[in-house]
């Protein structure tokens, strides 16, 4: 394989890892990990937020900490490499469990399910791929009453944690 071909494969892998790291950071409420996904001057548009990605990170953590649980699933990651820039589209679905005090638009103890896409422009700077611009596009949204059937009253060790005590951080 040529060096250029290996660089393209490596770039695609590195970009995909950033996309995966983003959802882990959101679901584990890991602000430092979330910030590591973006270049310092990155821009962000998602929902009502339009501004610096550095500010979005604080905003996202406040939203996630205000709900009882979040869970994101990623679908296809499409990457178009153009030199030191990559145009990336990633499909997502998300779940947010609202607590007794829901965010605007929600009801207490309700589940919000959403599907959409992250449309990103990545840049490789000093050999490192990170997001330079992200637009979150929501495709559908559904609210449902919570129906856990005892899930939250079961053993805590069988559920994911929203901090660095989650099993994923144990090495």
């Amino acid at each position: 394989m040529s060096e250029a071909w290996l660089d393209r494969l490596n770039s695609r892998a590195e970009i995909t890892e950033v996309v995966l790291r983003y959802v882990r950071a959101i679901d584990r409420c890991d602000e430092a990990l979330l910030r590591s996904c973006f270049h310092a001057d990155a821009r962000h548009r998602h929902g009502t937020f339009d501004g610096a990605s550095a500010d979005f990170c604080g905003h996202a953590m406040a939203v996630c900490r205000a709900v009882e649980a979040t869970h994101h699933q990623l679908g296809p990651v499409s990457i178009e490499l153009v030199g030191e820039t990559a145009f990336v589209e990633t499909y997502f679905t998300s779940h947010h469990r609202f607590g007794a005090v829901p965010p605007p638009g929600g009801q207490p103890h309700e589940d919000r399910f959403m599907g959409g896409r992250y449309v990103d422009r990545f840049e490789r700077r000093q050999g490192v791929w990170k997001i330079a611009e992200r637009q979150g596009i929501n495709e559908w949204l559904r609210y449902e009453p919570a129906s856990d059937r005892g899930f939250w009253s079961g053993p805590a060790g069988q559920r994911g944690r929203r901090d660095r005590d989650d099993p994923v951080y144990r090495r």
Side-chain angles (χ1 to χ4, degrees):
M1 284 190 188
S2 72
E3 200 169 308
W5 181 249
L6 289 174
D7 180 61
R8 292 179 66 76
L9 288 175
N10 189 60
S11 292
R12 295 175 65 80
E14 288 179 14
I15 290 165
T16 301
E17 284 298 320
V18 172
V19 172
L20 296 171
R21 194 166 66 227
Y22 175 88
V23 295
R24 175 185 287 172
I26 292 289
D27 289 340
R28 303 285 70 83
C29 293
D30 188 335
E31 190 167 346
L33 188 63
L34 183 62
R35 291 183 183 282
S36 76
C37 298
F38 299 96
H39 285 296
D41 61 346
R43 302 287 303 159
H44 211 106
R45 289 177 293 161
H46 198 150
T48 59
F49 186 90
D50 186 352
S53 294
D55 295 336
F56 175 82
C57 291
H59 168 77
M61 288 297 101
V63 168
C64 289
R65 289 180 180 125
V67 299
E68 291 182 0
T70 61
H71 184 87
H72 290 73
Q73 289 285 321
L74 297 177
V77 179
S78 175
I79 301 169
E80 179 185 346
L81 293 166
V82 182
E84 301 296 294
T85 301
F87 301 96
V88 181
E89 177 187 50
T90 307
Y91 282 75
F92 74 86
T93 55
S94 67
H95 164 256
H96 293 73
R97 162 56 58 85
F98 299 156
V101 181
Q107 299 295 319
H109 309 293
E110 183 175 55
D111 288 326
R112 182 182 77 184
F113 299 93
M114 181 184 294
R117 294 174 289 136
Y118 302 124
V119 177
D120 300 325
R121 180 175 48 82
F122 274 70
E123 292 178 1
R124 179 164 52 183
R125 300 180 190 170
Q126 299 177 331
V128 178
W129 286 103
K130 290 187 180 185
I131 300 167
E133 184 177 359
R134 168 164 279 189
Q135 180 177 5
I137 299 172
N138 300 327
E139 303 280 359
W140 55 269
L141 177 66
R142 186 175 80 224
Y143 292 90
E144 293 182 6
S147 178
D148 295 320
R149 299 184 185 189
F151 175 76
W152 293 101
S153 60
Q158 294 178 357
R159 295 188 302 271
R161 294 188 46 104
R162 301 182 72 223
D163 57 26
R164 292 195 62 87
D165 287 331
D166 187 83
V168 75
Y169 292 102
R170 295 185 204 133
R171 303 280 188 238

